[in-house]
Amino acid sequence: MLFAAFTIISTFIASIQIEKNQKRHIKMKKIKYLFIMLVWVILVSAQTEKRPLTHDDILNWNQITEIHISNNGKYIVYKQEPWKGDPTLKITTPKGQEKASIDCGTNAKITADSKFVVFTLKPPVDSVRTLKLKKTKKEDMPQDKLVIYNLENGSSEEIEKVKSSKVPTEWAGWVAWQAEAPKDTTQEGKGGGKGENVFPLFIKNLNAGEVKEVPNVSSYHFAEEKEVLVCISEGKDSTFNAGVYIYNFADNTETKILDGKGKFKQLTINKSGDKVAFIGDVSEAKETNYSLYVCEGTGKAKVILDNNNEAVPDKWEISENGQLSFSENGERLFYGTAPKKEPKDTTILEEEIPVLDVWHWNEEVLQTVQIHNKNRDAKKTYLGVVQLNNSKAAQLETKLFTGIRKINKGDAGKLLAWSSRPYAVQAMWEGSPRHNDFYLVDINSGKAEMIKKDCRATPQVSPGGKYLYWYNALDTTWNTYSITIGTEYKITTPDVVQVAKELNDIPNPPNSYRHAGWLKDDEALLIYDRFDIWKVDPENSYEPVNLTENGRKQKISYRLVRFNPKRDEGIDLSEEVIVKGHNEVTRVDRYYAFNLKKPKEPKEIFIENYRLNTPKKAKDEDVVIFTKEDFQTYPNLIATDLSFYKQRQISDAAPQQKEFLWGTAELVSWMSLDGRVVEGTLHKPENFDPGKKYPMIVNFYEKSSQGFRGYKMPENHRSTIDYHYYTSNGYVIFNPDVYYTEGYPGESAYNCVMPGVAAVVSKGFIDEERIGAQGHSWGGYQVAYLATRTDMFAAIESGAPVVNMFSAYGGIRWGSGLNRSFQYEHTQSRIGKTIWEAPLRYLENSPLFTLDKVETPILIMHNDDDGAVPWYQGIEYFIGLRRLGKPSWLLNYNDADHWPTKVRDKHDFQIRLAQFFDHYLKEKPMPKWMKEGIPATKKGVDLGYELKD
């Protein structure tokens, strides 16, 4: 075709010469005609040169994984990285002018003054691989570098063998890092406490270029708001004494606030940099006995609390695992305590101690959950507080509580606590939301007062500290509690605002649509219903106000976008905000200008038909970064301002996409077997020909049509098909929504999916003999169920499916230790009753008991370390199919969880999945692994990819 294009060009040039002596209008007519032919031939040529996407192509596909905007809006830093290979860090301007492109750059930070980018430079993947093949020792492998890039002049500095780095967030001019020192001065693992690494600390003045070294530092922190750094050093012979040091960069001073060696932990500094705290033990005793140290101003650190203080409970101690933190005003210091660990009996050999777990029928937490949480629970601490003006301490948290939260950033006279312990056993089958009792704890005495009993919610605190608030799932209302006057208010009711999810189809109380935040000074709470944003008075003194007005009428779901919100602070009415709207009918996203001060229909400021992300804005300037996407449009970064009028694309992360056959996406609808209008998405190959017959794969989970405008990043997925790969290779993909009826999840899937398949087939372009289905986890269950009810599918891949609801009901989710019964009674599995109340529902919804009806070849993927669905479900499935003589295969990625997570395993799975479908849906030869299997003796040696005629 390219040769044809050159021929046309030659003809075009020759024709111009011939026509020189003819009339001008005839000449122009022919030129126009030939130009059109030329364009047509070139376009056809370009199209025919496109090729199908391969799994190796997908490995090279970039995602944009870091996005930063300088405070002054002049620079944008982003990272694009392939699934396999080295990332590239890009530094550009909002006008798309690239200043730098750095291979292997990652973890970028822009300094607060917008003058420097500090990032890590990783060793190239190929270089590391080559060295590993040569059996290079770990200590001889290349290490990370730190790079300081000057945005103003483009110069950069590299620091070798960096172990950590920090950049102040609210002020600028300094950067600190730890780097490996020569082995004779590195005291790795000494002094800083078990598990800590000690390295030299380097502190650089970015403006003057000066660098100060502090030897053998175990911990260091910048103050948030002031030019101060604090660190703990183990010292270095006679040239530098061990101790805790404060560096004040504003007046260029170094202050040693504690002199001498010891065991120090939990170093912290307040926002203004004038108070430092840590725990320490300067004794040489074998058993660690921590005290709490505080330094205020420029004085020395002093012990203000030790384990002999009456505020520390009997047989408890100040814990090294507790997180020290100052209250907002700096007048209080919060710390953690914990029961002392029982000493080991040194008179008994390890081999003489029985190794067992004792399960008790009425213990609060199931033994498997206890085992799963053992390490976390061993480090659990309980909050205490000390008043810095008088060193008076109080234990605030006890074993009664399951959670505790500060009010007004620790400045209030009380704290919020809650406890689910009285209801712990029933949580095994109820799931969430959990029952809780609410408490207010006096910050001076630690005395707790229960203010609400048995509420299925977890309470929260308003930013200004005036109210507690929660969503009550049982009556679908928002509620508040005035801390000052001790009164509870029900601030919404379903007859005024439907705050509960309207499409809830699980046998459990519906979740809420959440909230947008509080207005400043706790003036009002902004909540969401399905479509609109409502302003609600916390004491119910006026009716809720619909701020967006037209959301429900227009079927647009509005959600507030805040730029650079301050942590734990309410929304200022003068704050710049926009709302993002999602139209549930067209599935289009839009940005809208919005003013919180009064109800008004949001003003549309972005009118293109795409899926949009949540935009980011520069802190000090009107520069905004956002993405727009659809099935064919990659979500590249676009720079604009708050008007969204002028847009400039600043990234081009997947330029190779134009080389490949792609596809299209569209919405389709049909009637379910139980009379409901159902929608789904249909994805067709590029150059789709309605006169041809295509193979089709049905892939679904629950409901996904609302996101059909999404790009679907090409990926060798862990558990599902890649839509772009299959459309590029000539498949049609159908993704139907499923609506569920309690007690009949399998039947619900059949009622929605099968008439949807029939509706697509009726369009005439699907080969009825070449339809496959694929799903994972809950989707894996559903396709396994469909295989027992229909022979329409020529092949099915079912990943990590539950096929026996009886055995699964009593099983364990090993990833959390939880018993699975709550899933069947109240959540996704949707049975709604116990196995004793409705055994037939468990039977009829379990594919295992009707495997004899299966007429479809089945590929199962279920891994031996699955923490969500017990691996034995996959084994039961495979053994049943094998016993019945049904063609079936089981892929087990060793030590993989609910799905393979390593790139090598995902890549392998996608190759085998494609070969499986290609054989049954495209009549390609079977690969060796399907035809002959892979003997255990050839594991890791023979992958069996080769096709066998």
Side-chain angles (χ1 to χ4, degrees):
M1 294 300 289
L2 283 176
F3 176 79
F6 290 129
T7 302
I8 291 292
I9 292 171
S10 300
T11 305
F12 173 69
I13 294 172
S15 69
I16 293 176
Q17 300 298 322
I18 293 171
E19 297 295 333
K20 277 185 177 180
N21 299 321
Q22 296 184 8
K23 292 182 180 180
R24 186 173 181 276
H25 71 279
I26 298 175
K27 174 182 176 183
M28 294 307 297
K29 184 176 180 181
K30 285 194 174 186
I31 291 173
K32 182 178 180 181
Y33 171 76
L34 289 169
F35 180 76
I36 291 171
M37 286 181 63
L38 173 64
V39 172
W40 179 83
V41 170
I42 291 174
L43 288 175
V44 170
S45 173
Q47 288 179 342
T48 56
E49 287 183 346
K50 289 185 178 182
R51 62 182 179 86
L53 197 63
T54 69
H55 298 298
D56 287 337
D57 294 325
I58 290 174
L59 287 177
N60 295 321
W61 219 266
N62 283 321
Q63 319 108 70
I64 297 176
T65 53
E66 288 184 28
I67 306 170
H68 311 277
I69 312 176
S70 62
N71 287 344
N72 66 5
K74 291 183 177 181
Y75 305 103
I76 297 159
V77 179
Y78 65 94
K79 183 178 74 174
Q80 57 186 44
E81 59 181 320
W83 299 108
K84 184 178 181 180
D86 299 317
T88 302
L89 199 67
K90 299 278 190 176
I91 303 175
T92 185
T93 71
K95 293 183 178 180
Q97 300 164 333
E98 186 174 289
K99 291 185 64 67
S101 179
I102 306 104
D103 290 340
C104 303
T106 187
N107 298 326
K109 304 177 186 70
I110 305 178
T111 56
D113 59 4
S114 304
K115 293 182 178 180
F116 296 89
V117 179
V118 180
F119 59 91
T120 302
L121 201 63
K122 293 281 186 182
V125 170
D126 287 344
S127 299
V128 172
R129 183 177 183 275
T130 300
L131 291 170
K132 285 182 176 180
L133 287 172
K134 293 179 179 179
K135 308 297 182 184
T136 305
K137 293 180 181 179
K138 184 178 180 181
E139 57 267 27
D140 295 328
M141 294 292 285
Q143 298 185 38
D144 292 351
K145 299 177 183 178
L146 186 71
V147 179
I148 302 172
Y149 180 90
N150 189 316
L151 288 166
E152 295 180 333
N153 60 28
S155 64
S156 63
E157 174 188 3
E158 291 186 5
I159 296 100
E160 301 281 345
K161 298 182 178 181
V162 167
K163 299 299 181 182
S164 72
S165 65
K166 293 182 181 180
V167 175
T169 57
E170 300 297 325
W171 50 277
W174 298 82
V175 61
W177 67 89
Q178 286 180 296
E180 187 175 294
K183 293 180 180 179
D184 60 343
T185 60
T186 299
Q187 302 179 31
E188 188 168 344
K190 295 182 181 180
K194 187 177 180 181
E196 287 189 359
N197 290 328
V198 178
F199 297 102
L201 175 69
F202 299 88
I203 311 167
K204 179 165 185 171
N205 183 326
L206 292 172
N207 296 314
E210 300 169 349
V211 178
K212 179 176 182 60
E213 179 180 350
V214 185
N216 302 317
V217 168
S218 61
S219 180
Y220 66 105
H221 297 287
F222 284 113
E224 183 177 337
E225 296 177 347
K226 297 295 183 180
E227 297 162 312
V228 177
L229 178 142
V230 61
C231 66
I232 299 172
S233 171
E234 294 298 319
K236 181 181 178 183
D237 50 56
S238 60
T239 61
F240 196 92
N241 294 333
V244 181
Y245 292 81
I246 293 178
Y247 294 91
N248 189 314
F249 306 122
D251 55 18
N252 195 29
T253 58
E254 172 188 286
T255 305
K256 187 192 298 181
I257 62 173
L258 185 139
D259 189 7
K261 291 187 177 182
K263 298 175 183 177
F264 303 111
K265 289 272 193 177
Q266 298 299 330
L267 180 67
T268 189
I269 185 168
N270 70 340
K271 292 171 69 172
S272 57
D274 58 1
K275 294 181 182 180
V276 172
F278 54 91
I279 60 172
D281 180 3
V282 296
S283 72
E284 297 182 0
K286 185 176 181 180
E287 296 297 326
T288 304
N289 185 21
Y290 284 112
S291 297
L292 182 56
Y293 288 79
V294 170
C295 172
E296 300 186 69
T298 57
K300 297 292 185 180
K302 299 178 181 179
V303 173
I304 62 167
L305 185 73
D306 60 28
N307 290 323
N308 296 318
N309 192 293
E310 61 181 11
V312 179
D314 187 37
K315 297 183 179 179
W316 284 36
E317 63 184 354
I318 299 169
S319 174
E320 66 178 271
N321 299 309
Q323 181 63 55
L324 299 186
S325 64
F326 289 96
S327 61
E328 181 73 2
N329 61 18
E331 296 177 1
R332 295 167 179 156
L333 177 65
F334 296 91
Y335 59 92
T337 60
K340 292 181 179 179
K341 292 180 173 59
E342 296 288 337
K344 287 189 83 173
D345 189 340
T346 57
T347 65
I348 301 176
L349 295 172
E350 197 77 31
E351 62 206 51
E352 296 173 340
I353 302 173
V355 180
L356 83 163
D357 304 317
V358 179
W359 296 36
H360 188 281
W361 71 276
N362 203 30
E363 59 189 340
E364 289 183 12
V365 179
L366 195 63
Q367 190 72 200
T368 48
V369 178
Q370 294 181 46
I371 293 169
H372 179 268
N373 296 336
K374 182 179 177 181
N375 291 335
R376 185 198 70 185
D377 291 345
K379 296 179 179 180
K380 180 175 174 58
T381 63
Y382 299 84
L383 193 67
V385 67
V386 59
Q387 309 289 338
L388 297 182
N389 62 340
N390 58 16
S391 298
K392 184 178 179 181
Q395 183 67 36
L396 303 173
E397 186 178 5
T398 70
K399 287 186 175 182
L400 167 66
F401 303 140
T402 49
I404 194 164
R405 185 169 292 151
K406 298 168 191 172
I407 297 175
N408 202 20
K409 303 177 185 177
D411 289 346
K414 297 181 184 295
L415 286 87
L416 165 65
W418 59 94
S419 177
S420 62
R421 289 192 61 183
Y423 319 100
V425 175
Q426 67 200 72
M428 184 181 83
W429 58 84
E430 283 188 342
S432 62
R434 292 196 170 190
H435 299 255
N436 277 298
D437 298 332
F438 302 171
Y439 295 83
L440 285 175
V441 182
D442 185 273
I443 204 162
N444 294 304
S445 66
K447 182 180 178 180
E449 174 193 4
M450 184 191 292
I451 59 169
K452 190 169 184 63
K453 186 174 180 61
D454 192 9
C455 180
R456 289 196 72 177
T458 300
Q460 302 177 71
V461 182
S462 63
K466 297 178 182 178
Y467 302 97
L468 310 182
Y469 66 105
W470 63 92
Y471 165 73
N472 188 329
L474 295 186
D475 65 2
T476 66
T477 63
W478 280 99
N479 302 264
T480 60
Y481 177 90
S482 171
I483 297 172
T484 304
I485 63 177
T487 302
E488 181 179 332
Y489 303 93
K490 192 180 295 291
I491 60 173
T492 70
T493 55
D495 59 324
V496 178
V497 190
Q498 288 282 354
V499 298
K501 291 194 174 180
E502 298 176 20
L503 300 181
N504 180 62
D505 60 3
I506 60 174
N508 207 43
N511 290 326
S512 74
Y513 288 104
R514 305 179 73 83
H515 63 86
W518 285 79
L519 295 186
K520 193 174 181 180
D521 299 323
D522 294 349
E523 177 188 338
L525 175 63
L526 303 184
I527 62 170
Y528 296 128
D529 69 4
R530 182 175 174 181
F531 299 103
D532 288 297
I533 304 173
W534 294 75
K535 178 181 175 182
V536 183
D537 183 73
E539 295 186 5
N540 212 22
S541 61
Y542 55 81
E543 285 287 300
V545 178
N546 186 343
L547 294 177
T548 45
E549 293 191 328
N550 72 328
R552 185 168 294 274
K553 181 180 178 181
Q554 300 293 331
K555 302 299 182 189
I556 298 172
S557 175
Y558 292 117
R559 296 299 180 256
L560 189 69
V561 177
R562 297 179 65 191
F563 296 115
N564 303 305
K566 292 185 178 179
R567 185 178 58 194
D568 300 326
E569 291 191 8
I571 303 168
D572 192 321
L573 290 177
S574 63
E575 184 179 319
E576 289 179 315
V577 299
I578 62 172
V579 294
K580 186 173 82 168
H582 173 77
N583 189 304
E584 288 193 1
V585 178
T586 65
R587 274 67 166 181
V588 165
D589 291 344
R590 297 281 164 82
Y591 295 132
Y592 299 81
F594 189 59
N595 190 324
L596 289 168
K597 293 181 180 180
K598 60 181 180 179
K600 188 176 182 180
E601 181 177 325
K603 180 183 177 182
E604 200 170 62
I605 55 176
F606 184 92
I607 58 174
E608 299 175 48
N609 295 332
Y610 289 101
R611 181 179 180 177
L612 304 173
N613 76 330
T614 300
K616 302 182 71 168
K617 178 185 170 298
K619 182 179 178 181
D620 301 325
E621 293 294 333
D622 187 4
V623 177
V624 176
I625 301 297
F626 76 102
T627 66
K628 59 184 181 183
E629 61 183 277
D630 59 25
F631 190 70
Q632 297 169 310
T633 305
Y634 186 96
N636 276 301
L637 302 182
I638 300 169
T640 185
D641 56 27
L642 284 173
S643 73
F644 287 84
Y645 180 68
K646 293 183 179 179
Q647 303 169 21
R648 183 180 292 274
Q649 181 177 316
I650 59 170
S651 71
D652 189 14
Q656 74 273 33
Q657 180 176 316
K658 60 181 177 292
E659 301 171 11
F660 300 104
L661 295 167
W662 216 239
T664 61
E666 63 188 72
L667 282 172
V668 291
S669 64
W670 62 95
M671 190 71 71
S672 70
L673 294 180
D674 51 1
R676 178 193 293 268
V677 176
V678 183
E679 291 182 294
T681 59
L682 194 64
H683 304 265
K684 299 174 182 176
E686 187 169 326
N687 301 324
F688 173 76
D689 181 355
K692 288 178 60 177
K693 294 283 189 179
Y694 290 88
M696 182 170 76
I697 297 176
V698 182
N699 168 265
F700 65 100
Y701 191 77
E702 291 194 358
K703 298 177 183 69
S704 56
S705 69
Q706 286 298 331
F708 103 96
R709 292 188 185 274
Y711 175 71
K712 292 188 179 295
M713 188 68 63
E715 177 184 359
N716 287 325
H717 292 273
R718 60 192 186 183
S719 61
T720 188
I721 61 173
D722 181 83
Y723 282 38
H724 293 302
Y725 172 84
Y726 283 92
T727 55
S728 183
N729 283 275
Y731 285 91
V732 170
I733 306 297
F734 176 48
N735 187 328
D737 287 346
V738 179
Y739 292 85
Y740 298 94
T741 300
E742 181 179 328
Y744 303 97
E747 187 75 14
S748 298
Y750 183 89
N751 287 345
C752 291
V753 174
M754 297 315 297
V757 173
V760 175
V761 169
S762 70
K763 296 177 183 293
F765 50 76
I766 300 299
D767 187 334
E768 295 181 51
E769 303 299 319
R770 296 189 290 158
I771 301 175
Q774 192 275 330
H776 189 85
S777 193
W778 181 241
Y781 157 71
Q782 291 173 103
V783 295
Y785 178 89
L786 293 181
T788 68
R789 293 289 307 277
T790 179
D791 61 0
M792 176 174 280
F793 298 110
I796 286 177
E797 192 278 328
S798 173
V802 166
V803 294
N804 183 352
M805 289 193 174
F806 277 104
S807 60
Y809 176 86
I812 297 295
R813 293 181 65 98
W814 295 109
S816 60
L818 295 171
N819 169 245
R820 295 176 55 83
S821 58
F822 73 92
Q823 295 178 232
Y824 298 90
E825 296 181 39
H826 294 288
T827 60
Q828 188 175 59
S829 298
R830 296 176 170 88
I831 299 299
K833 296 184 181 299
T834 70
I835 56 173
W836 305 282
E837 294 173 308
L840 291 181
R841 288 190 183 179
Y842 285 82
L843 179 69
E844 65 188 87
N845 282 290
S846 297
L848 182 72
F849 300 106
T850 47
L851 287 186
D852 57 324
K853 304 292 192 297
V854 173
E855 298 296 334
T856 304
I858 306 289
L859 173 63
I860 308 162
M861 190 263 282
H862 209 154
N863 305 320
D864 51 25
D865 200 27
D866 194 321
V869 176
W871 183 42
Y872 275 83
Q873 289 290 314
I875 293 175
E876 288 186 52
Y877 195 13
F878 177 76
I879 293 298
L881 292 169
R882 173 183 165 93
R883 171 66 179 82
L884 293 165
K886 311 290 185 179
S888 54
W889 297 261
L890 172 62
L891 303 177
N892 166 29
Y893 291 93
N894 299 162
D895 302 322
D897 200 339
H898 193 44
W899 34 55
T901 55
K902 295 180 179 178
V903 170
R904 68 176 193 204
D905 293 340
K906 293 191 292 183
H907 186 62
D908 178 87
F909 171 62
Q910 289 298 328
I911 291 172
R912 298 186 195 278
L913 183 63
Q915 289 182 331
F916 173 73
F917 282 130
D918 282 350
H919 173 69
Y920 284 109
L921 305 187
K922 285 189 170 183
E923 299 181 356
K924 289 188 177 181
M926 264 193 181
K928 180 180 178 181
W929 67 269
M930 285 180 65
K931 192 164 188 176
E932 302 174 7
I934 305 295
T937 54
K938 294 187 177 181
K939 179 178 177 179
V941 177
D942 185 359
L943 295 176
Y945 291 158
E946 61 269 28
L947 303 181
K948 309 288 284 188
D949 290 328

